[in-house]
Amino acid sequence: MSGRPAMQRPGSAAVTDLDRRRLADAADALAPQRPGTVDAYVVVAALDSDPVFAREAREAARVLARRYDAVGRTLLLAGFDGRNIDPLPRGSLETLETALNRVAKTMDPAEDALILYITAHGTPAGLAWRDQGDFLATLPPTWLDYVLKHGGLRNRLVMISPCFSGLFVPALATAEAVVITAAAADRTSFGCAAENDWTFFGDALVNHALRKNQPLATAFGEARTLIGNWETRGKLIPSDPQIAFGARAALWLHPIEMRMPRAPGLPVGRPATDAIDEAIAANH
């Protein structure tokens, strides 16, 4: 099957029976879809044990569940965040595929929508699944495309935060889908230091733009501008975030956005740009 991950290390212990049980329990507790209502189901995955990704994933799950009326319809896959010990299944290729399949079976794919957020390191070949610094597998666009198609997850918003994530756009863009990536296919993104609470992409898009009652396209524009300003301040090569907005995506997205909270949420955590400010201060 061509969609399977490349270069996966055999016999990895990064996924345990405890992770599988925790995911099964969380999936069993998902609220059912409501006939006649466009429900959003959120899946957020941190595919790296570096705590920045676990922290970003936790808050992204909260923000997306609130924005898209998906409280009770959210699955979070994230390891230890360096601060709290909570009973979460860890992010991996196996748990991500299982979570997407369980959501597909719970929702009505013809009516409802998937909101998927993945945070990790990236390579020119795809997302890197790593545990404790060990590289375990690459998640290429063909793998994610296969899993989404296999589940019939046609109505979807996919947000991918790592370096080189723009390579996912051609594979995942369809008339019913929205795909947003932190960088172009040939560019790196920034902010993934282990001590951070956010990557640049997560901070700009999730922590700021998506907390506001504004359309997704407007939120992306705000995030792209923020990231550009931060990169200019740090004299960084622009990451060039990407968006592909399908011609029929508004048919499911608009009803969900009509239910967005009116009051904006407040950003939390250490800003991703603190490291830039500290470096500038140190050089002066």
PDB file of all heavy atoms in Angstrom, residues 36-71:
ATOM      1  N   GLY A  36     -28.628  16.822  10.834  1.00  0.00           N
ATOM      2  CA  GLY A  36     -29.125  18.155  10.504  1.00  0.00           C
ATOM      3  C   GLY A  36     -28.233  19.274  10.975  1.00  0.00           C
ATOM      4  O   GLY A  36     -28.465  20.440  10.622  1.00  0.00           O
ATOM      5  N   THR A  37     -27.205  18.966  11.770  1.00  0.00           N
ATOM      6  CA  THR A  37     -26.233  19.959  12.236  1.00  0.00           C
ATOM      7  C   THR A  37     -24.862  19.579  11.708  1.00  0.00           C
ATOM      8  O   THR A  37     -24.454  18.420  11.792  1.00  0.00           O
ATOM      9  CB  THR A  37     -26.192  20.014  13.780  1.00  0.00           C
ATOM     10  OG1 THR A  37     -27.467  20.418  14.275  1.00  0.00           O
ATOM     11  CG2 THR A  37     -25.126  20.996  14.260  1.00  0.00           C
ATOM     12  N   VAL A  38     -24.150  20.548  11.176  1.00  0.00           N
ATOM     13  CA  VAL A  38     -22.786  20.292  10.721  1.00  0.00           C
ATOM     14  C   VAL A  38     -21.881  20.303  11.955  1.00  0.00           C
ATOM     15  O   VAL A  38     -21.572  21.360  12.496  1.00  0.00           O
ATOM     16  CB  VAL A  38     -22.316  21.331   9.694  1.00  0.00           C
ATOM     17  CG1 VAL A  38     -20.888  21.007   9.237  1.00  0.00           C
ATOM     18  CG2 VAL A  38     -23.254  21.373   8.499  1.00  0.00           C
ATOM     19  N   ASP A  39     -21.499  19.127  12.410  1.00  0.00           N
ATOM     20  CA  ASP A  39     -20.627  19.011  13.586  1.00  0.00           C
ATOM     21  C   ASP A  39     -19.173  18.942  13.153  1.00  0.00           C
ATOM     22  O   ASP A  39     -18.835  18.322  12.143  1.00  0.00           O
ATOM     23  CB  ASP A  39     -20.970  17.737  14.379  1.00  0.00           C
ATOM     24  CG  ASP A  39     -22.244  17.891  15.184  1.00  0.00           C
ATOM     25  OD1 ASP A  39     -22.388  18.913  15.874  1.00  0.00           O
ATOM     26  OD2 ASP A  39     -23.102  16.982  15.122  1.00  0.00           O
ATOM     27  N   ALA A  40     -18.320  19.559  13.944  1.00  0.00           N
ATOM     28  CA  ALA A  40     -16.875  19.458  13.729  1.00  0.00           C
ATOM     29  C   ALA A  40     -16.296  18.468  14.727  1.00  0.00           C
ATOM     30  O   ALA A  40     -16.665  18.464  15.908  1.00  0.00           O
ATOM     31  CB  ALA A  40     -16.216  20.821  13.918  1.00  0.00           C
ATOM     32  N   TYR A  41     -15.398  17.626  14.247  1.00  0.00           N
ATOM     33  CA  TYR A  41     -14.635  16.713  15.096  1.00  0.00           C
ATOM     34  C   TYR A  41     -13.162  17.093  14.973  1.00  0.00           C
ATOM     35  O   TYR A  41     -12.625  17.155  13.862  1.00  0.00           O
ATOM     36  CB  TYR A  41     -14.868  15.263  14.683  1.00  0.00           C
ATOM     37  CG  TYR A  41     -16.190  14.735  15.161  1.00  0.00           C
ATOM     38  CD1 TYR A  41     -17.366  15.017  14.468  1.00  0.00           C
ATOM     39  CD2 TYR A  41     -16.282  13.978  16.319  1.00  0.00           C
ATOM     40  CE1 TYR A  41     -18.593  14.542  14.914  1.00  0.00           C
ATOM     41  CE2 TYR A  41     -17.503  13.497  16.782  1.00  0.00           C
ATOM     42  CZ  TYR A  41     -18.650  13.784  16.078  1.00  0.00           C
ATOM     43  OH  TYR A  41     -19.873  13.327  16.534  1.00  0.00           O
ATOM     44  N   VAL A  42     -12.544  17.371  16.109  1.00  0.00           N
ATOM     45  CA  VAL A  42     -11.174  17.871  16.148  1.00  0.00           C
ATOM     46  C   VAL A  42     -10.211  16.753  16.530  1.00  0.00           C
ATOM     47  O   VAL A  42     -10.450  16.025  17.502  1.00  0.00           O
ATOM     48  CB  VAL A  42     -11.053  19.038  17.148  1.00  0.00           C
ATOM     49  CG1 VAL A  42      -9.591  19.446  17.332  1.00  0.00           C
ATOM     50  CG2 VAL A  42     -11.888  20.231  16.684  1.00  0.00           C
ATOM     51  N   VAL A  43      -9.130  16.628  15.784  1.00  0.00           N
ATOM     52  CA  VAL A  43      -8.024  15.742  16.144  1.00  0.00           C
ATOM     53  C   VAL A  43      -6.754  16.586  16.153  1.00  0.00           C
ATOM     54  O   VAL A  43      -6.441  17.250  15.150  1.00  0.00           O
ATOM     55  CB  VAL A  43      -7.865  14.574  15.155  1.00  0.00           C
ATOM     56  CG1 VAL A  43      -6.621  13.742  15.509  1.00  0.00           C
ATOM     57  CG2 VAL A  43      -9.108  13.690  15.163  1.00  0.00           C
ATOM     58  N   VAL A  44      -6.051  16.590  17.274  1.00  0.00           N
ATOM     59  CA  VAL A  44      -4.789  17.321  17.403  1.00  0.00           C
ATOM     60  C   VAL A  44      -3.711  16.336  17.802  1.00  0.00           C
ATOM     61  O   VAL A  44      -3.891  15.553  18.736  1.00  0.00           O
ATOM     62  CB  VAL A  44      -4.899  18.447  18.452  1.00  0.00           C
ATOM     63  CG1 VAL A  44      -3.554  19.154  18.607  1.00  0.00           C
ATOM     64  CG2 VAL A  44      -5.980  19.452  18.059  1.00  0.00           C
ATOM     65  N   ALA A  45      -2.577  16.375  17.097  1.00  0.00           N
ATOM     66  CA  ALA A  45      -1.508  15.403  17.349  1.00  0.00           C
ATOM     67  C   ALA A  45      -0.155  16.095  17.400  1.00  0.00           C
ATOM     68  O   ALA A  45       0.191  16.877  16.512  1.00  0.00           O
ATOM     69  CB  ALA A  45      -1.492  14.327  16.265  1.00  0.00           C
ATOM     70  N   ALA A  46       0.605  15.796  18.460  1.00  0.00           N
ATOM     71  CA  ALA A  46       2.013  16.171  18.551  1.00  0.00           C
ATOM     72  C   ALA A  46       2.825  14.925  18.244  1.00  0.00           C
ATOM     73  O   ALA A  46       2.751  13.934  18.974  1.00  0.00           O
ATOM     74  CB  ALA A  46       2.335  16.687  19.952  1.00  0.00           C
ATOM     75  N   LEU A  47       3.585  14.961  17.156  1.00  0.00           N
ATOM     76  CA  LEU A  47       4.319  13.776  16.709  1.00  0.00           C
ATOM     77  C   LEU A  47       5.789  13.819  17.115  1.00  0.00           C
ATOM     78  O   LEU A  47       6.655  13.300  16.420  1.00  0.00           O
ATOM     79  CB  LEU A  47       4.215  13.627  15.193  1.00  0.00           C
ATOM     80  CG  LEU A  47       2.835  13.278  14.638  1.00  0.00           C
ATOM     81  CD1 LEU A  47       2.887  13.167  13.122  1.00  0.00           C
ATOM     82  CD2 LEU A  47       2.321  11.984  15.244  1.00  0.00           C
ATOM     83  N   ASP A  48       6.066  14.438  18.249  1.00  0.00           N
ATOM     84  CA  ASP A  48       7.438  14.529  18.729  1.00  0.00           C
ATOM     85  C   ASP A  48       7.387  14.695  20.240  1.00  0.00           C
ATOM     86  O   ASP A  48       6.494  15.356  20.766  1.00  0.00           O
ATOM     87  CB  ASP A  48       8.150  15.723  18.090  1.00  0.00           C
ATOM     88  CG  ASP A  48       9.650  15.674  18.264  1.00  0.00           C
ATOM     89  OD1 ASP A  48      10.114  15.863  19.414  1.00  0.00           O
ATOM     90  OD2 ASP A  48      10.366  15.450  17.272  1.00  0.00           O
ATOM     91  N   SER A  49       8.351  14.090  20.932  1.00  0.00           N
ATOM     92  CA  SER A  49       8.364  14.174  22.390  1.00  0.00           C
ATOM     93  C   SER A  49       8.972  15.469  22.913  1.00  0.00           C
ATOM     94  O   SER A  49       8.967  15.701  24.125  1.00  0.00           O
ATOM     95  CB  SER A  49       9.121  12.976  22.994  1.00  0.00           C
ATOM     96  OG  SER A  49      10.455  12.953  22.524  1.00  0.00           O
ATOM     97  N   ASP A  50       9.515  16.338  22.037  1.00  0.00           N
ATOM     98  CA  ASP A  50       9.948  17.652  22.498  1.00  0.00           C
ATOM     99  C   ASP A  50       8.751  18.367  23.107  1.00  0.00           C
ATOM    100  O   ASP A  50       7.682  18.453  22.473  1.00  0.00           O
ATOM    101  CB  ASP A  50      10.496  18.481  21.331  1.00  0.00           C
ATOM    102  CG  ASP A  50      11.944  18.148  20.998  1.00  0.00           C
ATOM    103  OD1 ASP A  50      12.540  17.335  21.735  1.00  0.00           O
ATOM    104  OD2 ASP A  50      12.467  18.685  20.012  1.00  0.00           O
ATOM    105  N   PRO A  51       8.866  18.902  24.325  1.00  0.00           N
ATOM    106  CA  PRO A  51       7.688  19.409  25.035  1.00  0.00           C
ATOM    107  C   PRO A  51       7.006  20.596  24.372  1.00  0.00           C
ATOM    108  O   PRO A  51       5.827  20.845  24.629  1.00  0.00           O
ATOM    109  CB  PRO A  51       8.222  19.771  26.426  1.00  0.00           C
ATOM    110  CG  PRO A  51       9.697  19.855  26.280  1.00  0.00           C
ATOM    111  CD  PRO A  51      10.065  18.912  25.188  1.00  0.00           C
ATOM    112  N   VAL A  52       7.709  21.356  23.514  1.00  0.00           N
ATOM    113  CA  VAL A  52       7.037  22.462  22.844  1.00  0.00           C
ATOM    114  C   VAL A  52       5.837  21.969  22.053  1.00  0.00           C
ATOM    115  O   VAL A  52       4.779  22.612  22.024  1.00  0.00           O
ATOM    116  CB  VAL A  52       8.012  23.241  21.935  1.00  0.00           C
ATOM    117  CG1 VAL A  52       8.643  22.350  20.875  1.00  0.00           C
ATOM    118  CG2 VAL A  52       7.305  24.421  21.271  1.00  0.00           C
ATOM    119  N   PHE A  53       5.967  20.813  21.420  1.00  0.00           N
ATOM    120  CA  PHE A  53       4.872  20.294  20.606  1.00  0.00           C
ATOM    121  C   PHE A  53       3.712  19.805  21.481  1.00  0.00           C
ATOM    122  O   PHE A  53       2.548  20.000  21.131  1.00  0.00           O
ATOM    123  CB  PHE A  53       5.378  19.180  19.700  1.00  0.00           C
ATOM    124  CG  PHE A  53       6.478  19.617  18.779  1.00  0.00           C
ATOM    125  CD1 PHE A  53       7.751  19.091  18.880  1.00  0.00           C
ATOM    126  CD2 PHE A  53       6.244  20.584  17.808  1.00  0.00           C
ATOM    127  CE1 PHE A  53       8.775  19.496  18.034  1.00  0.00           C
ATOM    128  CE2 PHE A  53       7.255  21.005  16.952  1.00  0.00           C
ATOM    129  CZ  PHE A  53       8.529  20.457  17.075  1.00  0.00           C
ATOM    130  N   ALA A  54       4.029  19.204  22.611  1.00  0.00           N
ATOM    131  CA  ALA A  54       2.986  18.760  23.521  1.00  0.00           C
ATOM    132  C   ALA A  54       2.226  19.947  24.103  1.00  0.00           C
ATOM    133  O   ALA A  54       1.006  19.903  24.247  1.00  0.00           O
ATOM    134  CB  ALA A  54       3.587  17.915  24.635  1.00  0.00           C
ATOM    135  N   ARG A  55       2.951  21.013  24.421  1.00  0.00           N
ATOM    136  CA  ARG A  55       2.285  22.199  24.966  1.00  0.00           C
ATOM    137  C   ARG A  55       1.417  22.866  23.898  1.00  0.00           C
ATOM    138  O   ARG A  55       0.279  23.278  24.158  1.00  0.00           O
ATOM    139  CB  ARG A  55       3.324  23.173  25.525  1.00  0.00           C
ATOM    140  CG  ARG A  55       4.000  22.672  26.792  1.00  0.00           C
ATOM    141  CD  ARG A  55       4.768  23.772  27.505  1.00  0.00           C
ATOM    142  NE  ARG A  55       6.004  24.137  26.833  1.00  0.00           N
ATOM    143  CZ  ARG A  55       7.183  23.562  27.078  1.00  0.00           C
ATOM    144  NH1 ARG A  55       7.285  22.586  27.974  1.00  0.00           N
ATOM    145  NH2 ARG A  55       8.270  23.966  26.435  1.00  0.00           N
ATOM    146  N   GLU A  56       1.964  22.978  22.683  1.00  0.00           N
ATOM    147  CA  GLU A  56       1.181  23.570  21.599  1.00  0.00           C
ATOM    148  C   GLU A  56      -0.070  22.741  21.308  1.00  0.00           C
ATOM    149  O   GLU A  56      -1.159  23.301  21.111  1.00  0.00           O
ATOM    150  CB  GLU A  56       2.038  23.687  20.340  1.00  0.00           C
ATOM    151  CG  GLU A  56       1.283  24.247  19.139  1.00  0.00           C
ATOM    152  CD  GLU A  56       2.217  24.692  18.024  1.00  0.00           C
ATOM    153  OE1 GLU A  56       2.971  25.662  18.258  1.00  0.00           O
ATOM    154  OE2 GLU A  56       2.181  24.077  16.943  1.00  0.00           O
ATOM    155  N   ALA A  57       0.068  21.430  21.289  1.00  0.00           N
ATOM    156  CA  ALA A  57      -1.071  20.564  20.988  1.00  0.00           C
ATOM    157  C   ALA A  57      -2.177  20.711  22.023  1.00  0.00           C
ATOM    158  O   ALA A  57      -3.360  20.756  21.672  1.00  0.00           O
ATOM    159  CB  ALA A  57      -0.612  19.112  20.907  1.00  0.00           C
ATOM    160  N   ARG A  58      -1.814  20.784  23.303  1.00  0.00           N
ATOM    161  CA  ARG A  58      -2.822  20.901  24.352  1.00  0.00           C
ATOM    162  C   ARG A  58      -3.660  22.166  24.185  1.00  0.00           C
ATOM    163  O   ARG A  58      -4.890  22.128  24.264  1.00  0.00           O
ATOM    164  CB  ARG A  58      -2.152  20.886  25.736  1.00  0.00           C
ATOM    165  CG  ARG A  58      -1.756  19.495  26.209  1.00  0.00           C
ATOM    166  CD  ARG A  58      -0.765  19.585  27.367  1.00  0.00           C
ATOM    167  NE  ARG A  58      -0.509  18.277  27.967  1.00  0.00           N
ATOM    168  CZ  ARG A  58       0.246  17.338  27.444  1.00  0.00           C
ATOM    169  NH1 ARG A  58       0.819  17.540  26.281  1.00  0.00           N
ATOM    170  NH2 ARG A  58       0.421  16.181  28.076  1.00  0.00           N
ATOM    171  N   GLU A  59      -2.991  23.295  23.976  1.00  0.00           N
ATOM    172  CA  GLU A  59      -3.740  24.534  23.847  1.00  0.00           C
ATOM    173  C   GLU A  59      -4.468  24.605  22.510  1.00  0.00           C
ATOM    174  O   GLU A  59      -5.588  25.130  22.431  1.00  0.00           O
ATOM    175  CB  GLU A  59      -2.818  25.737  24.021  1.00  0.00           C
ATOM    176  CG  GLU A  59      -3.547  27.064  24.155  1.00  0.00           C
ATOM    177  CD  GLU A  59      -4.490  27.136  25.353  1.00  0.00           C
ATOM    178  OE1 GLU A  59      -4.262  26.415  26.356  1.00  0.00           O
ATOM    179  OE2 GLU A  59      -5.455  27.924  25.293  1.00  0.00           O
ATOM    180  N   ALA A  60      -3.868  24.064  21.452  1.00  0.00           N
ATOM    181  CA  ALA A  60      -4.556  24.040  20.159  1.00  0.00           C
ATOM    182  C   ALA A  60      -5.860  23.256  20.258  1.00  0.00           C
ATOM    183  O   ALA A  60      -6.879  23.654  19.672  1.00  0.00           O
ATOM    184  CB  ALA A  60      -3.654  23.437  19.090  1.00  0.00           C
ATOM    185  N   ALA A  61      -5.852  22.141  20.981  1.00  0.00           N
ATOM    186  CA  ALA A  61      -7.084  21.360  21.143  1.00  0.00           C
ATOM    187  C   ALA A  61      -8.157  22.180  21.839  1.00  0.00           C
ATOM    188  O   ALA A  61      -9.338  22.131  21.461  1.00  0.00           O
ATOM    189  CB  ALA A  61      -6.786  20.083  21.921  1.00  0.00           C
ATOM    190  N   ARG A  62      -7.764  22.949  22.857  1.00  0.00           N
ATOM    191  CA  ARG A  62      -8.747  23.776  23.562  1.00  0.00           C
ATOM    192  C   ARG A  62      -9.292  24.877  22.660  1.00  0.00           C
ATOM    193  O   ARG A  62     -10.509  25.126  22.626  1.00  0.00           O
ATOM    194  CB  ARG A  62      -8.107  24.378  24.817  1.00  0.00           C
ATOM    195  CG  ARG A  62      -7.933  23.405  25.959  1.00  0.00           C
ATOM    196  CD  ARG A  62      -7.466  24.094  27.222  1.00  0.00           C
ATOM    197  NE  ARG A  62      -6.045  24.349  27.211  1.00  0.00           N
ATOM    198  CZ  ARG A  62      -5.132  23.521  27.717  1.00  0.00           C
ATOM    199  NH1 ARG A  62      -5.504  22.375  28.265  1.00  0.00           N
ATOM    200  NH2 ARG A  62      -3.847  23.833  27.681  1.00  0.00           N
ATOM    201  N   VAL A  63      -8.396  25.553  21.930  1.00  0.00           N
ATOM    202  CA  VAL A  63      -8.830  26.657  21.069  1.00  0.00           C
ATOM    203  C   VAL A  63      -9.738  26.158  19.952  1.00  0.00           C
ATOM    204  O   VAL A  63     -10.801  26.741  19.680  1.00  0.00           O
ATOM    205  CB  VAL A  63      -7.604  27.388  20.483  1.00  0.00           C
ATOM    206  CG1 VAL A  63      -8.036  28.413  19.430  1.00  0.00           C
ATOM    207  CG2 VAL A  63      -6.810  28.072  21.591  1.00  0.00           C
ATOM    208  N   LEU A  64      -9.351  25.076  19.301  1.00  0.00           N
ATOM    209  CA  LEU A  64     -10.140  24.569  18.176  1.00  0.00           C
ATOM    210  C   LEU A  64     -11.474  24.003  18.635  1.00  0.00           C
ATOM    211  O   LEU A  64     -12.489  24.155  17.947  1.00  0.00           O
ATOM    212  CB  LEU A  64      -9.331  23.518  17.422  1.00  0.00           C
ATOM    213  CG  LEU A  64      -8.061  24.052  16.744  1.00  0.00           C
ATOM    214  CD1 LEU A  64      -7.234  22.913  16.172  1.00  0.00           C
ATOM    215  CD2 LEU A  64      -8.395  25.064  15.651  1.00  0.00           C
ATOM    216  N   ALA A  65     -11.500  23.338  19.794  1.00  0.00           N
ATOM    217  CA  ALA A  65     -12.762  22.822  20.319  1.00  0.00           C
ATOM    218  C   ALA A  65     -13.725  23.966  20.622  1.00  0.00           C
ATOM    219  O   ALA A  65     -14.932  23.870  20.354  1.00  0.00           O
ATOM    220  CB  ALA A  65     -12.509  21.984  21.567  1.00  0.00           C
ATOM    221  N   ARG A  66     -13.203  25.049  21.161  1.00  0.00           N
ATOM    222  CA  ARG A  66     -14.052  26.209  21.473  1.00  0.00           C
ATOM    223  C   ARG A  66     -14.524  26.897  20.196  1.00  0.00           C
ATOM    224  O   ARG A  66     -15.712  27.189  20.042  1.00  0.00           O
ATOM    225  CB  ARG A  66     -13.279  27.198  22.346  1.00  0.00           C
ATOM    226  CG  ARG A  66     -14.041  28.477  22.697  1.00  0.00           C
ATOM    227  CD  ARG A  66     -13.203  29.376  23.593  1.00  0.00           C
ATOM    228  NE  ARG A  66     -13.938  30.576  23.996  1.00  0.00           N
ATOM    229  CZ  ARG A  66     -13.908  31.743  23.348  1.00  0.00           C
ATOM    230  NH1 ARG A  66     -13.159  31.858  22.245  1.00  0.00           N
ATOM    231  NH2 ARG A  66     -14.600  32.783  23.765  1.00  0.00           N
ATOM    232  N   ARG A  67     -13.612  27.139  19.278  1.00  0.00           N
ATOM    233  CA  ARG A  67     -13.956  27.873  18.058  1.00  0.00           C
ATOM    234  C   ARG A  67     -14.970  27.123  17.206  1.00  0.00           C
ATOM    235  O   ARG A  67     -15.898  27.731  16.654  1.00  0.00           O
ATOM    236  CB  ARG A  67     -12.687  28.134  17.232  1.00  0.00           C
ATOM    237  CG  ARG A  67     -12.953  28.811  15.882  1.00  0.00           C
ATOM    238  CD  ARG A  67     -11.662  29.029  15.113  1.00  0.00           C
ATOM    239  NE  ARG A  67     -11.911  29.524  13.767  1.00  0.00           N
ATOM    240  CZ  ARG A  67     -12.022  30.798  13.426  1.00  0.00           C
ATOM    241  NH1 ARG A  67     -11.921  31.734  14.353  1.00  0.00           N
ATOM    242  NH2 ARG A  67     -12.240  31.159  12.172  1.00  0.00           N
ATOM    243  N   TYR A  68     -14.801  25.802  17.115  1.00  0.00           N
ATOM    244  CA  TYR A  68     -15.614  25.024  16.192  1.00  0.00           C
ATOM    245  C   TYR A  68     -16.693  24.193  16.876  1.00  0.00           C
ATOM    246  O   TYR A  68     -17.176  23.216  16.307  1.00  0.00           O
ATOM    247  CB  TYR A  68     -14.706  24.135  15.343  1.00  0.00           C
ATOM    248  CG  TYR A  68     -13.866  24.955  14.384  1.00  0.00           C
ATOM    249  CD1 TYR A  68     -12.470  24.994  14.485  1.00  0.00           C
ATOM    250  CD2 TYR A  68     -14.470  25.715  13.388  1.00  0.00           C
ATOM    251  CE1 TYR A  68     -11.709  25.758  13.613  1.00  0.00           C
ATOM    252  CE2 TYR A  68     -13.722  26.480  12.517  1.00  0.00           C
ATOM    253  CZ  TYR A  68     -12.348  26.506  12.629  1.00  0.00           C
ATOM    254  OH  TYR A  68     -11.601  27.270  11.763  1.00  0.00           O
ATOM    255  N   ASP A  69     -17.079  24.603  18.111  1.00  0.00           N
ATOM    256  CA  ASP A  69     -18.196  23.954  18.800  1.00  0.00           C
ATOM    257  C   ASP A  69     -17.974  22.445  18.896  1.00  0.00           C
ATOM    258  O   ASP A  69     -18.861  21.644  18.635  1.00  0.00           O
ATOM    259  CB  ASP A  69     -19.506  24.265  18.064  1.00  0.00           C
ATOM    260  CG  ASP A  69     -20.739  23.789  18.819  1.00  0.00           C
ATOM    261  OD1 ASP A  69     -20.674  23.636  20.054  1.00  0.00           O
ATOM    262  OD2 ASP A  69     -21.775  23.546  18.150  1.00  0.00           O
ATOM    263  N   ALA A  70     -16.728  22.065  19.259  1.00  0.00           N
ATOM    264  CA  ALA A  70     -16.350  20.652  19.245  1.00  0.00           C
ATOM    265  C   ALA A  70     -15.957  20.131  20.628  1.00  0.00           C
ATOM    266  O   ALA A  70     -15.255  19.125  20.723  1.00  0.00           O
ATOM    267  CB  ALA A  70     -15.208  20.431  18.259  1.00  0.00           C
ATOM    268  N   VAL A  71     -16.398  20.792  21.680  1.00  0.00           N
ATOM    269  CA  VAL A  71     -16.164  20.259  23.019  1.00  0.00           C
ATOM    270  C   VAL A  71     -16.918  18.930  23.133  1.00  0.00           C
ATOM    271  O   VAL A  71     -18.112  18.851  22.826  1.00  0.00           O
ATOM    272  CB  VAL A  71     -16.641  21.254  24.094  1.00  0.00           C
ATOM    273  CG1 VAL A  71     -16.517  20.627  25.485  1.00  0.00           C
ATOM    274  CG2 VAL A  71     -15.842  22.544  24.019  1.00  0.00           C
TER     275      VAL A  71
END
